[in-house]
Amino acid sequence: GPVRDALIAAVSAWMDAMTRAVAQARQEGHLLADADEHQIAFEIHGLILVLHYEARFLRRSGAMERALQGFDNILARYCA
C-alpha cells in the first residue's frame, strides 16, 4: 500500500545517496580503486539496521561500540 511505497522510496533514496557518497570517496582516492560502492553501502546499511535492532529493540549494551567497530572494519578493508 501507500505506506510501504513511501517507506521503499525513502530507503531507496537513502541507499542511492550513500552509494553516491561512497563512489565519490573512491573517485577522490579515499578508497581502493576497485572498491565496490554498492557492497560498501550494503555493509554500512546492514550495520545501521543491526544497530537499531540491538540498541532499540533488544536494548543490548555495547551495540553502538560494536557498530563503530564494524564501521572501522569496513574502512580497514576498503580505504586506500
Coordinates of all heavy atoms in Angstrom, one line a residue:
G1 N 0.8 -1.2 0.0 CA 0.0 0.0 0.0 C 0.9 1.3 0.0 O 2.1 1.2 -0.2
P2 N 0.2 2.4 0.2 CA 0.9 3.7 0.1 C 2.0 3.9 1.2 O 3.0 4.5 1.0 CB -0.2 4.7 0.3 CG -1.4 4.0 0.8 CD -1.2 2.5 0.4
V3 N 1.8 3.3 2.4 CA 2.8 3.5 3.4 C 4.1 2.7 3.1 O 5.2 3.2 3.2 CB 2.2 3.0 4.8 CG1 3.3 3.0 5.9 CG2 1.1 3.9 5.2
R4 N 3.9 1.5 2.6 CA 5.0 0.6 2.1 C 5.7 1.3 1.0 O 7.0 1.4 1.0 CB 4.5 -0.7 1.7 CG 5.6 -1.7 1.3 CD 5.1 -3.1 0.9 NE 6.1 -4.0 0.6 CZ 6.7 -4.0 -0.6 NH1 6.4 -3.2 -1.6 NH2 7.7 -4.9 -0.8
D5 N 5.0 1.9 0.0 CA 5.6 2.6 -1.1 C 6.4 3.8 -0.7 O 7.5 4.0 -1.2 CB 4.5 3.0 -2.1 CG 3.8 1.8 -2.8 OD1 4.3 0.7 -2.7 OD2 2.7 2.1 -3.3
A6 N 5.9 4.5 0.3 CA 6.6 5.7 0.8 C 7.9 5.2 1.5 O 9.0 5.9 1.4 CB 5.7 6.5 1.8
L7 N 7.8 4.1 2.3 CA 9.0 3.6 3.0 C 10.0 3.1 2.0 O 11.2 3.4 2.2 CB 8.6 2.5 3.9 CG 9.7 1.9 4.8 CD1 10.4 3.0 5.7 CD2 9.1 0.8 5.7
I8 N 9.6 2.4 1.0 CA 10.5 2.0 -0.1 C 11.2 3.2 -0.7 O 12.4 3.2 -1.0 CB 9.8 1.1 -1.1 CG1 9.5 -0.2 -0.5 CG2 10.7 0.9 -2.4 CD1 8.6 -1.1 -1.3
A9 N 10.5 4.2 -1.0 CA 11.0 5.4 -1.7 C 12.1 6.1 -0.8 O 13.1 6.5 -1.2 CB 9.9 6.4 -2.0
A10 N 11.8 6.1 0.5 CA 12.7 6.8 1.5 C 14.0 6.0 1.6 O 15.1 6.5 1.6 CB 12.0 7.0 2.8
V11 N 13.8 4.7 1.8 CA 15.0 3.8 1.9 C 15.8 3.8 0.6 O 17.1 3.8 0.7 CB 14.6 2.4 2.4 CG1 15.8 1.4 2.3 CG2 14.0 2.4 3.8
S12 N 15.2 3.7 -0.5 CA 15.9 3.8 -1.8 C 16.6 5.1 -2.0 O 17.8 5.0 -2.4 CB 14.9 3.6 -2.9 OG 14.3 2.3 -2.9
A13 N 16.0 6.2 -1.6 CA 16.7 7.5 -1.7 C 18.0 7.5 -0.8 O 19.0 8.0 -1.2 CB 15.8 8.6 -1.4
W14 N 17.8 7.0 0.4 CA 18.9 6.9 1.4 C 20.1 6.1 0.8 O 21.2 6.4 0.8 CB 18.5 6.4 2.7 CG 19.5 5.8 3.6 CD1 19.7 4.5 3.9 CD2 20.6 6.5 4.2 NE1 20.8 4.4 4.7 CE2 21.4 5.6 4.9 CE3 21.0 7.9 4.2 CZ2 22.5 6.0 5.6 CZ3 22.1 8.2 4.9 CH2 22.9 7.3 5.6
M15 N 19.7 4.9 0.3 CA 20.7 4.0 -0.3 C 21.4 4.6 -1.5 O 22.6 4.4 -1.7 CB 20.1 2.6 -0.6 CG 19.8 1.8 0.6 SD 21.2 1.4 1.7 CE 22.1 0.3 0.6
D16 N 20.6 5.2 -2.3 CA 21.2 5.9 -3.5 C 22.2 7.0 -3.1 O 23.3 7.1 -3.7 CB 20.1 6.5 -4.4 CG 19.3 5.4 -5.1 OD1 19.7 4.2 -5.1 OD2 18.2 5.7 -5.6
A17 N 21.8 7.8 -2.1 CA 22.7 8.8 -1.7 C 24.0 8.3 -1.0 O 25.1 8.8 -1.3 CB 22.0 9.7 -0.6
M18 N 23.8 7.2 -0.2 CA 25.0 6.6 0.4 C 25.9 6.0 -0.7 O 27.1 6.2 -0.6 CB 24.6 5.6 1.4 CG 25.8 5.1 2.2 SD 25.4 4.2 3.7 CE 23.9 3.2 3.3
T19 N 25.3 5.4 -1.7 CA 26.1 4.7 -2.7 C 26.9 5.8 -3.5 O 28.1 5.6 -3.8 CB 25.2 3.9 -3.6 OG1 24.6 2.9 -2.8 CG2 26.0 3.2 -4.7
R20 N 26.2 6.9 -3.8 CA 26.9 8.0 -4.5 C 28.0 8.6 -3.6 O 29.1 8.9 -4.2 CB 25.9 9.2 -4.8 CG 25.0 8.9 -6.0 CD 24.3 10.1 -6.5 NE 23.6 10.8 -5.4 CZ 22.3 10.5 -5.0 NH1 21.6 9.5 -5.5 NH2 21.8 11.3 -4.0
A21 N 27.8 8.7 -2.3 CA 28.9 9.3 -1.4 C 30.1 8.3 -1.4 O 31.2 8.8 -1.4 CB 28.3 9.4 0.0
V22 N 29.8 7.0 -1.4 CA 30.9 6.0 -1.4 C 31.7 6.1 -2.7 O 32.9 6.1 -2.8 CB 30.4 4.6 -1.1 CG1 31.5 3.6 -1.3 CG2 29.8 4.5 0.3
A23 N 30.9 6.2 -3.9 CA 31.6 6.3 -5.2 C 32.4 7.6 -5.2 O 33.5 7.5 -5.8 CB 30.5 6.3 -6.3
Q24 N 31.9 8.7 -4.7 CA 32.7 9.9 -4.7 C 34.0 9.7 -3.8 O 35.1 10.2 -4.3 CB 31.9 11.1 -4.1 CG 32.6 12.4 -4.2 CD 31.8 13.5 -3.6 OE1 30.6 13.3 -3.2 NE2 32.3 14.7 -3.7
A25 N 33.9 9.1 -2.7 CA 35.1 8.8 -1.9 C 36.1 8.0 -2.7 O 37.3 8.2 -2.6 CB 34.7 8.1 -0.6
R26 N 35.6 7.0 -3.4 CA 36.5 6.2 -4.2 C 37.2 7.0 -5.3 O 38.4 7.0 -5.5 CB 35.8 5.0 -4.9 CG 36.7 4.1 -5.6 CD 36.0 3.0 -6.4 NE 35.3 3.7 -7.5 CZ 34.0 3.6 -7.8 NH1 33.3 2.8 -7.2 NH2 33.5 4.3 -8.8
Q27 N 36.4 7.9 -6.0 CA 36.9 8.7 -7.1 C 37.9 9.7 -6.6 O 38.8 10.1 -7.3 CB 35.7 9.4 -7.8 CG 34.8 8.5 -8.6 CD 33.5 9.1 -8.9 OE1 33.2 10.2 -8.5 NE2 32.7 8.4 -9.6
E28 N 37.8 10.1 -5.3 CA 38.7 11.1 -4.7 C 39.9 10.5 -4.1 O 40.8 11.1 -3.6 CB 38.0 12.0 -3.7 CG 37.0 12.9 -4.4 CD 36.3 13.8 -3.4 OE1 36.6 13.8 -2.2 OE2 35.4 14.5 -3.8
G29 N 40.0 9.1 -4.2 CA 41.2 8.4 -3.8 C 41.2 8.0 -2.3 O 42.2 7.5 -1.8
H30 N 40.1 8.2 -1.6 CA 40.0 7.8 -0.2 C 39.8 6.3 -0.1 O 40.1 5.7 1.0 CB 38.8 8.5 0.5 CG 39.0 10.0 0.4 ND1 40.0 10.7 1.1 CD2 38.2 10.9 -0.2 CE1 39.9 12.0 0.9 NE2 38.8 12.2 0.1
L31 N 39.3 5.6 -1.1 CA 39.0 4.2 -1.1 C 39.8 3.5 -2.2 O 40.3 4.2 -3.1 CB 37.5 3.9 -1.3 CG 36.6 4.5 -0.3 CD1 35.1 4.2 -0.7 CD2 36.8 4.0 1.1
L32 N 40.0 2.2 -2.1 CA 40.7 1.5 -3.1 C 40.0 1.7 -4.4 O 38.8 1.8 -4.5 CB 40.7 0.0 -2.7 CG 41.5 -0.4 -1.5 CD1 41.2 -1.9 -1.1 CD2 42.9 -0.1 -1.6
A33 N 40.8 1.7 -5.5 CA 40.3 2.0 -6.8 C 39.2 0.9 -7.3 O 38.3 1.3 -8.0 CB 41.4 2.0 -7.9
D34 N 39.3 -0.3 -6.8 CA 38.4 -1.3 -7.2 C 37.3 -1.6 -6.1 O 36.5 -2.5 -6.2 CB 39.1 -2.6 -7.5 CG 39.8 -3.2 -6.3 OD1 40.0 -2.5 -5.2 OD2 40.2 -4.4 -6.3
A35 N 37.2 -0.7 -5.2 CA 36.1 -0.8 -4.1 C 34.7 -0.7 -4.8 O 34.5 0.1 -5.6 CB 36.3 0.3 -3.1
D36 N 33.9 -1.6 -4.4 CA 32.5 -1.7 -4.9 C 31.6 -0.9 -4.1 O 31.3 -1.2 -2.9 CB 32.1 -3.2 -4.9 CG 30.7 -3.4 -5.5 OD1 29.9 -2.4 -5.6 OD2 30.4 -4.6 -5.8
E37 N 31.1 0.3 -4.6 CA 30.3 1.2 -3.8 C 29.0 0.6 -3.4 O 28.5 0.9 -2.3 CB 30.1 2.5 -4.6 CG 29.2 2.4 -5.8 CD 30.1 2.2 -7.1 OE1 31.3 1.9 -7.0 OE2 29.5 2.5 -8.2
H38 N 28.5 -0.3 -4.2 CA 27.2 -1.0 -3.8 C 27.4 -1.9 -2.6 O 26.6 -2.0 -1.7 CB 26.6 -1.7 -5.0 CG 26.2 -0.8 -6.1 ND1 25.1 0.0 -6.1 CD2 26.8 -0.6 -7.3 CE1 25.0 0.7 -7.2 NE2 26.1 0.4 -7.9
Q39 N 28.5 -2.7 -2.6 CA 28.8 -3.6 -1.5 C 29.1 -2.8 -0.2 O 28.6 -3.1 0.9 CB 30.0 -4.4 -1.8 CG 30.4 -5.4 -0.7 CD 29.3 -6.4 -0.4 OE1 28.6 -6.9 -1.4 NE2 29.1 -6.8 0.8
I40 N 29.9 -1.7 -0.3 CA 30.2 -0.9 0.9 C 28.9 -0.3 1.4 O 28.7 -0.3 2.6 CB 31.2 0.2 0.5 CG1 32.5 -0.5 0.2 CG2 31.4 1.1 1.7 CD1 33.6 0.5 -0.4
A41 N 28.1 0.3 0.6 CA 26.8 0.9 1.0 C 25.9 -0.2 1.7 O 25.3 0.0 2.7 CB 26.1 1.5 -0.1
F42 N 25.9 -1.4 1.1 CA 25.1 -2.5 1.7 C 25.6 -2.9 3.1 O 24.8 -3.0 4.0 CB 25.3 -3.7 0.7 CG 24.5 -4.9 1.2 CD1 23.2 -5.1 0.9 CD2 25.1 -5.9 2.0 CE1 22.5 -6.3 1.3 CE2 24.5 -7.0 2.4 CZ 23.1 -7.2 2.1
E43 N 26.9 -2.9 3.3 CA 27.5 -3.3 4.5 C 27.2 -2.2 5.6 O 26.9 -2.5 6.7 CB 29.0 -3.5 4.4 CG 29.3 -4.8 3.6 CD 30.8 -5.0 3.5 OE1 31.6 -4.6 4.4 OE2 31.2 -5.7 2.5
I44 N 27.3 -0.9 5.2 CA 27.0 0.2 6.1 C 25.6 0.1 6.5 O 25.2 0.3 7.7 CB 27.5 1.5 5.5 CG1 29.0 1.6 5.4 CG2 26.9 2.7 6.4 CD1 29.5 2.8 4.6
H45 N 24.7 -0.1 5.5 CA 23.3 -0.1 5.8 C 23.0 -1.3 6.7 O 22.1 -1.1 7.6 CB 22.5 -0.3 4.5 CG 21.0 -0.2 4.6 ND1 20.4 0.9 5.0 CD2 20.1 -1.2 4.4 CE1 19.1 0.7 5.0 NE2 18.9 -0.6 4.7
G46 N 23.6 -2.4 6.5 CA 23.4 -3.5 7.4 C 23.8 -3.2 8.9 O 23.1 -3.6 9.8
L47 N 24.9 -2.4 9.0 CA 25.3 -2.0 10.4 C 24.3 -1.1 11.0 O 24.0 -1.3 12.2 CB 26.6 -1.2 10.3 CG 27.9 -2.1 10.2 CD1 29.1 -1.1 10.0 CD2 28.1 -3.0 11.4
I48 N 23.7 -0.2 10.2 CA 22.7 0.7 10.7 C 21.4 -0.1 11.2 O 20.9 0.1 12.3 CB 22.3 1.7 9.7 CG1 23.5 2.7 9.4 CG2 21.0 2.5 10.1 CD1 23.3 3.5 8.2
L49 N 21.0 -1.1 10.4 CA 19.9 -1.9 10.7 C 20.1 -2.7 12.0 O 19.3 -2.8 12.9 CB 19.5 -2.8 9.6 CG 18.9 -2.1 8.3 CD1 18.7 -3.2 7.2 CD2 17.7 -1.3 8.6
V50 N 21.3 -3.4 12.1 CA 21.5 -4.2 13.3 C 21.7 -3.3 14.5 O 21.3 -3.7 15.6 CB 22.7 -5.1 13.1 CG1 24.1 -4.4 13.1 CG2 22.7 -6.3 14.1
L51 N 22.2 -2.1 14.3 CA 22.3 -1.2 15.5 C 21.0 -0.8 16.0 O 20.7 -0.9 17.2 CB 23.1 0.1 15.1 CG 23.2 1.2 16.1 CD1 23.9 0.6 17.4 CD2 23.9 2.4 15.6
H52 N 20.0 -0.5 15.1 CA 18.7 -0.2 15.6 C 18.1 -1.4 16.3 O 17.4 -1.3 17.3 CB 17.8 0.2 14.4 CG 18.0 1.6 14.0 ND1 17.6 2.7 14.7 CD2 18.6 2.1 12.9 CE1 18.0 3.8 14.0 NE2 18.6 3.4 13.0
Y53 N 18.3 -2.6 15.7 CA 17.7 -3.8 16.3 C 18.3 -4.1 17.7 O 17.5 -4.3 18.6 CB 18.0 -5.0 15.3 CG 17.4 -6.3 15.7 CD1 16.1 -6.6 15.4 CD2 18.2 -7.2 16.3 CE1 15.6 -7.8 15.8 CE2 17.7 -8.5 16.7 CZ 16.4 -8.8 16.4 OH 15.8 -10.0 16.8
E54 N 19.6 -4.1 17.8 CA 20.3 -4.4 19.0 C 20.1 -3.3 20.1 O 19.8 -3.6 21.2 CB 21.8 -4.6 18.8 CG 22.1 -5.8 18.0 CD 22.2 -7.1 18.8 OE1 22.7 -7.0 19.9 OE2 21.8 -8.1 18.3
A55 N 20.2 -2.0 19.7 CA 20.2 -1.0 20.7 C 18.7 -0.6 21.1 O 18.4 -0.4 22.3 CB 20.9 0.3 20.1
R56 N 17.8 -0.5 20.1 CA 16.5 0.0 20.4 C 15.5 -1.2 20.7 O 14.8 -1.1 21.7 CB 16.0 0.8 19.2 CG 16.7 2.1 19.1 CD 16.2 2.9 18.0 NE 16.9 4.2 18.0 CZ 16.4 5.3 17.6 NH1 15.1 5.4 17.4 NH2 17.1 6.4 17.6
F57 N 15.5 -2.2 19.9 CA 14.6 -3.3 20.2 C 15.0 -4.2 21.3 O 14.2 -4.5 22.2 CB 14.4 -4.1 18.9 CG 13.5 -5.3 19.0 CD1 12.1 -5.0 19.3 CD2 13.9 -6.5 18.8 CE1 11.2 -6.1 19.4 CE2 13.1 -7.6 18.9 CZ 11.7 -7.4 19.2
L58 N 16.2 -4.7 21.3 CA 16.7 -5.6 22.3 C 17.4 -4.9 23.5 O 17.6 -5.5 24.5 CB 17.7 -6.6 21.7 CG 17.2 -7.5 20.6 CD1 18.3 -8.4 20.0 CD2 16.0 -8.4 21.2
R59 N 17.7 -3.6 23.3 CA 18.3 -2.8 24.4 C 19.6 -3.4 24.9 O 19.8 -3.5 26.1 CB 17.3 -2.5 25.5 CG 16.2 -1.7 24.9 CD 15.2 -1.3 26.0 NE 14.1 -0.6 25.3 CZ 13.2 0.1 25.9 NH1 13.3 0.3 27.2 NH2 12.2 0.7 25.3
R60 N 20.4 -3.9 24.0 CA 21.7 -4.5 24.4 C 22.7 -3.5 24.6 O 22.9 -2.6 23.7 CB 22.1 -5.6 23.4 CG 21.2 -6.8 23.4 CD 21.8 -7.9 22.7 NE 20.9 -9.1 22.8 CZ 20.8 -10.0 21.9 NH1 21.5 -10.0 20.8 NH2 20.0 -11.1 22.1
S61 N 23.4 -3.5 25.7 CA 24.5 -2.6 25.9 C 25.7 -3.0 24.9 O 25.8 -4.1 24.6 CB 25.0 -2.6 27.3 OG 25.5 -3.9 27.6
G62 N 26.4 -2.0 24.5 CA 27.6 -2.2 23.7 C 27.3 -2.2 22.2 O 28.2 -2.4 21.4
A63 N 26.0 -2.1 21.8 CA 25.6 -2.1 20.4 C 26.3 -1.0 19.6 O 26.8 -1.3 18.5 CB 24.1 -2.0 20.3
M64 N 26.4 0.2 20.2 CA 27.0 1.3 19.5 C 28.5 1.0 19.3 O 29.0 1.2 18.2 CB 26.8 2.6 20.2 CG 27.5 3.8 19.5 SD 26.9 4.1 17.8 CE 25.5 5.1 18.2
E65 N 29.1 0.5 20.3 CA 30.5 0.2 20.2 C 30.8 -0.9 19.1 O 31.7 -0.8 18.3 CB 31.1 -0.2 21.5 CG 31.2 0.9 22.5 CD 29.8 1.2 23.2 OE1 28.8 0.4 23.0 OE2 29.7 2.3 23.8
R66 N 29.9 -1.9 19.1 CA 30.1 -2.9 18.0 C 29.8 -2.4 16.6 O 30.5 -2.7 15.7 CB 29.2 -4.1 18.3 CG 29.7 -5.0 19.5 CD 28.9 -6.3 19.6 NE 27.8 -6.2 20.4 CZ 27.8 -6.0 21.8 NH1 28.9 -5.8 22.3 NH2 26.7 -6.0 22.5
A67 N 28.9 -1.5 16.5 CA 28.6 -0.9 15.2 C 29.8 0.0 14.8 O 30.2 -0.1 13.6 CB 27.3 -0.1 15.2
L68 N 30.3 0.7 15.7 CA 31.5 1.5 15.3 C 32.7 0.7 15.0 O 33.4 1.0 14.0 CB 31.9 2.5 16.5 CG 30.9 3.6 16.8 CD1 31.2 4.3 18.1 CD2 30.8 4.6 15.6
Q69 N 32.9 -0.5 15.7 CA 33.9 -1.4 15.3 C 33.7 -2.0 13.9 O 34.6 -2.1 13.1 CB 34.1 -2.5 16.3 CG 35.2 -3.5 16.0 CD 36.5 -2.9 16.0 OE1 36.9 -2.3 17.0 NE2 37.3 -3.0 14.9
G70 N 32.4 -2.3 13.6 CA 32.1 -2.8 12.3 C 32.4 -1.8 11.2 O 32.9 -2.1 10.1
F71 N 32.1 -0.5 11.5 CA 32.4 0.5 10.5 C 33.9 0.7 10.3 O 34.4 0.8 9.2 CB 31.8 1.9 10.9 CG 31.9 2.9 9.9 CD1 31.2 2.9 8.7 CD2 32.8 4.0 10.1 CE1 31.3 3.9 7.8 CE2 32.9 5.0 9.2 CZ 32.2 4.9 8.0
D72 N 34.7 0.6 11.4 CA 36.1 0.7 11.3 C 36.6 -0.5 10.5 O 37.6 -0.4 9.7 CB 36.8 0.6 12.7 CG 36.6 1.9 13.5 OD1 36.3 3.0 12.9 OD2 36.8 1.9 14.7
N73 N 36.0 -1.7 10.6 CA 36.4 -2.8 9.9 C 36.2 -2.6 8.4 O 37.0 -3.0 7.5 CB 35.7 -4.1 10.3 CG 36.1 -4.5 11.7 OD1 37.1 -4.1 12.2 ND2 35.3 -5.4 12.3
I74 N 35.1 -2.0 8.0 CA 34.8 -1.7 6.6 C 35.8 -0.7 6.1 O 36.4 -0.9 5.0 CB 33.3 -1.1 6.5 CG1 32.3 -2.1 6.8 CG2 33.2 -0.5 5.1 CD1 30.9 -1.6 6.9
L75 N 36.1 0.3 6.9 CA 37.2 1.3 6.4 C 38.5 0.6 6.3 O 39.2 0.8 5.3 CB 37.3 2.4 7.4 CG 36.1 3.3 7.5 CD1 36.3 4.4 8.5 CD2 35.7 3.9 6.2
A76 N 38.9 -0.3 7.2 CA 40.1 -1.0 7.1 C 40.2 -1.9 5.8 O 41.3 -2.0 5.2 CB 40.4 -1.9 8.3
R77 N 39.1 -2.4 5.4 CA 39.1 -3.3 4.2 C 39.2 -2.5 2.9 O 39.7 -2.9 1.9 CB 37.9 -4.1 4.2 CG 38.0 -5.4 5.0 CD 36.9 -6.4 4.6 NE 35.6 -5.9 4.3 CZ 34.7 -5.7 5.3 NH1 35.0 -5.8 6.6 NH2 33.5 -5.3 4.9
Y78 N 38.6 -1.3 2.9 CA 38.4 -0.6 1.6 C 39.2 0.7 1.5 O 39.2 1.3 0.4 CB 36.9 -0.3 1.4 CG 36.0 -1.5 1.3 CD1 35.1 -1.9 2.3 CD2 36.1 -2.3 0.1 CE1 34.3 -3.0 2.1 CE2 35.3 -3.4 0.0 CZ 34.4 -3.8 1.0 OH 33.7 -4.9 0.8
C79 N 39.8 1.2 2.6 CA 40.5 2.5 2.5 C 41.8 2.3 1.7 O 42.4 1.3 1.7 CB 40.8 3.1 3.8 SG 39.4 4.0 4.6
A80 N 42.1 3.4 0.9 CA 43.3 3.4 0.1 C 44.5 3.6 1.0 O 44.5 4.1 2.1 CB 43.3 4.5 -0.9

